[in-house]
Short mmCIF file of all heavy atoms in Angstrom, two decimals:
data_model
loop_
_atom_site.label_atom_id
_atom_site.label_comp_id
_atom_site.label_asym_id
_atom_site.label_seq_id
_atom_site.Cartn_x
_atom_site.Cartn_y
_atom_site.Cartn_z
N ILE B 67 131.51 -32.80 35.00
CA ILE B 67 131.48 -33.37 36.31
C ILE B 67 130.10 -33.08 36.91
O ILE B 67 129.44 -33.92 37.52
CB ILE B 67 132.56 -32.81 37.16
CG1 ILE B 67 133.97 -33.44 36.74
CG2 ILE B 67 132.26 -33.21 38.64
CD1 ILE B 67 135.18 -32.77 37.49
N THR B 68 129.70 -31.84 36.89
CA THR B 68 128.43 -31.51 37.47
C THR B 68 127.16 -32.22 36.86
O THR B 68 126.23 -32.56 37.44
CB THR B 68 128.13 -29.94 37.49
OG1 THR B 68 128.10 -29.37 36.13
CG2 THR B 68 129.15 -29.32 38.38
N CYS B 69 127.29 -32.23 35.38
CA CYS B 69 126.12 -32.97 34.76
C CYS B 69 126.07 -34.39 35.11
O CYS B 69 125.00 -35.03 35.33
CB CYS B 69 126.27 -32.78 33.21
SG CYS B 69 125.99 -31.19 32.62
N LEU B 70 127.36 -35.12 35.09
CA LEU B 70 127.39 -36.46 35.48
C LEU B 70 126.87 -36.73 36.89
O LEU B 70 126.17 -37.67 37.19
CB LEU B 70 128.84 -37.12 35.16
CG LEU B 70 129.17 -37.19 33.80
CD1 LEU B 70 130.53 -37.75 33.64
CD2 LEU B 70 128.11 -38.02 33.02
N ALA B 71 127.35 -35.85 37.86
CA ALA B 71 126.99 -35.93 39.24
C ALA B 71 125.43 -35.83 39.47
O ALA B 71 124.80 -36.54 40.17
CB ALA B 71 127.58 -34.88 40.16
N GLY B 72 124.94 -34.95 38.65
CA GLY B 72 123.34 -34.78 38.63
C GLY B 72 122.69 -36.09 38.22
O GLY B 72 121.78 -36.58 38.86
N LEU B 73 123.11 -36.57 37.03
CA LEU B 73 122.40 -37.83 36.56
C LEU B 73 122.63 -39.01 37.43
O LEU B 73 121.75 -39.87 37.67
CB LEU B 73 123.10 -38.12 35.15
CG LEU B 73 122.58 -37.17 33.96
CD1 LEU B 73 123.15 -37.71 32.65
CD2 LEU B 73 121.09 -37.16 33.98
N PHE B 74 123.92 -39.11 38.01
CA PHE B 74 124.28 -40.22 38.89
C PHE B 74 123.28 -40.14 40.23
O PHE B 74 122.92 -41.25 40.61
CB PHE B 74 125.60 -40.03 39.30
CG PHE B 74 126.15 -41.11 40.26
CD1 PHE B 74 126.25 -42.40 39.93
CD2 PHE B 74 126.43 -40.68 41.60
CE1 PHE B 74 126.68 -43.36 40.80
CE2 PHE B 74 126.95 -41.74 42.42
CZ PHE B 74 127.00 -43.03 42.19
N THR B 75 122.94 -38.96 40.57
CA THR B 75 122.11 -38.84 41.69
C THR B 75 120.67 -39.36 41.35
O THR B 75 120.17 -39.87 42.41
CB THR B 75 121.96 -37.15 42.02
OG1 THR B 75 123.24 -36.70 42.17
CG2 THR B 75 121.18 -37.05 43.30
N THR B 76 120.31 -39.40 40.21
CA THR B 76 118.90 -40.06 39.93
C THR B 76 119.02 -41.53 40.35
O THR B 76 117.87 -42.14 40.52
CB THR B 76 118.51 -39.77 38.46
OG1 THR B 76 119.45 -40.49 37.69
CG2 THR B 76 118.48 -38.21 38.06
N LEU B 77 120.19 -42.08 40.18
CA LEU B 77 120.35 -43.52 40.56
C LEU B 77 120.47 -43.84 42.00
O LEU B 77 120.05 -44.92 42.39
CB LEU B 77 121.51 -44.10 39.66
CG LEU B 77 121.55 -43.93 38.22
CD1 LEU B 77 122.89 -44.49 37.70
CD2 LEU B 77 120.35 -44.75 37.61
N VAL B 78 121.05 -42.84 42.75
CA VAL B 78 121.38 -43.18 44.07
C VAL B 78 120.70 -42.19 45.09
O VAL B 78 121.00 -41.98 46.16
CB VAL B 78 122.91 -43.10 44.34
CG1 VAL B 78 123.57 -44.13 43.54
CG2 VAL B 78 123.46 -41.65 43.95
N ALA B 79 119.48 -41.63 44.58
CA ALA B 79 118.86 -40.60 45.39
C ALA B 79 118.48 -41.16 46.79
O ALA B 79 118.60 -40.34 47.74
CB ALA B 79 117.57 -40.09 44.61
N LYS B 80 117.99 -42.32 46.87
CA LYS B 80 117.54 -42.76 48.16
C LYS B 80 118.72 -42.84 49.14
O LYS B 80 118.63 -42.44 50.23
CB LYS B 80 117.02 -44.35 47.88
CG LYS B 80 116.03 -44.72 49.01
CD LYS B 80 115.36 -46.01 48.66
CE LYS B 80 114.26 -45.79 47.61
NZ LYS B 80 113.34 -46.98 47.41
N TRP B 81 119.90 -43.30 48.62
CA TRP B 81 121.15 -43.28 49.46
C TRP B 81 121.57 -41.90 49.83
O TRP B 81 121.87 -41.50 50.98
CB TRP B 81 122.19 -43.95 48.61
CG TRP B 81 123.52 -44.05 49.26
CD1 TRP B 81 123.88 -45.11 50.15
CD2 TRP B 81 124.58 -43.13 49.26
NE1 TRP B 81 125.27 -44.86 50.57
CE2 TRP B 81 125.55 -43.62 50.01
CE3 TRP B 81 124.72 -41.93 48.65
CZ2 TRP B 81 126.87 -42.88 50.24
CZ3 TRP B 81 125.93 -41.25 48.85
CH2 TRP B 81 126.95 -41.73 49.69
N VAL B 82 121.45 -40.87 48.84
CA VAL B 82 121.85 -39.55 49.14
C VAL B 82 120.86 -38.99 50.30
O VAL B 82 121.40 -38.21 51.14
CB VAL B 82 121.69 -38.65 47.94
CG1 VAL B 82 121.83 -37.10 48.19
CG2 VAL B 82 122.76 -39.15 46.69
N MET B 83 119.68 -39.27 50.21
CA MET B 83 118.80 -38.63 51.21
C MET B 83 118.92 -39.37 52.50
O MET B 83 118.76 -38.69 53.57
CB MET B 83 117.29 -38.68 50.67
CG MET B 83 117.11 -37.90 49.41
SD MET B 83 115.44 -37.91 48.73
CE MET B 83 114.61 -36.78 49.80
N ARG B 84 119.31 -40.64 52.57
CA ARG B 84 119.52 -41.25 53.81
C ARG B 84 120.71 -40.78 54.41
O ARG B 84 120.73 -40.53 55.71
CB ARG B 84 119.60 -42.82 53.59
CG ARG B 84 119.52 -43.60 54.92
CD ARG B 84 119.40 -45.10 54.73
NE ARG B 84 118.32 -45.42 53.88
CZ ARG B 84 118.45 -46.53 52.95
NH1 ARG B 84 119.58 -47.17 52.78
NH2 ARG B 84 117.46 -46.73 52.15
N TYR B 85 121.83 -40.69 53.75
CA TYR B 85 123.10 -40.22 54.36
C TYR B 85 123.22 -38.73 54.20
O TYR B 85 124.22 -38.18 53.74
CB TYR B 85 124.30 -40.94 53.81
CG TYR B 85 124.20 -42.47 54.03
CD1 TYR B 85 123.70 -43.26 53.09
CD2 TYR B 85 124.56 -42.85 55.22
CE1 TYR B 85 123.53 -44.55 53.38
CE2 TYR B 85 124.47 -44.33 55.55
CZ TYR B 85 123.83 -45.10 54.58
OH TYR B 85 123.84 -46.51 54.82
N HIS B 86 122.08 -38.01 54.42
CA HIS B 86 121.95 -36.59 54.26
C HIS B 86 123.18 -35.78 54.96
O HIS B 86 123.68 -34.81 54.53
CB HIS B 86 120.63 -36.10 54.73
CG HIS B 86 120.48 -34.63 54.78
ND1 HIS B 86 120.45 -33.90 55.99
CD2 HIS B 86 120.40 -33.74 53.82
CE1 HIS B 86 120.36 -32.59 55.69
NE2 HIS B 86 120.33 -32.48 54.47
#
Side-chain angles (χ1 to χ4, degrees):
Chain B
I67 291 174
T68 57
C69 288
L70 291 182
L73 288 182
F74 179 68
T75 307
T76 64
L77 300 177
V78 296
K80 205 169 280 188
W81 180 88
V82 171
M83 294 175 84
R84 190 173 308 140
Y85 298 97
H86 172 251

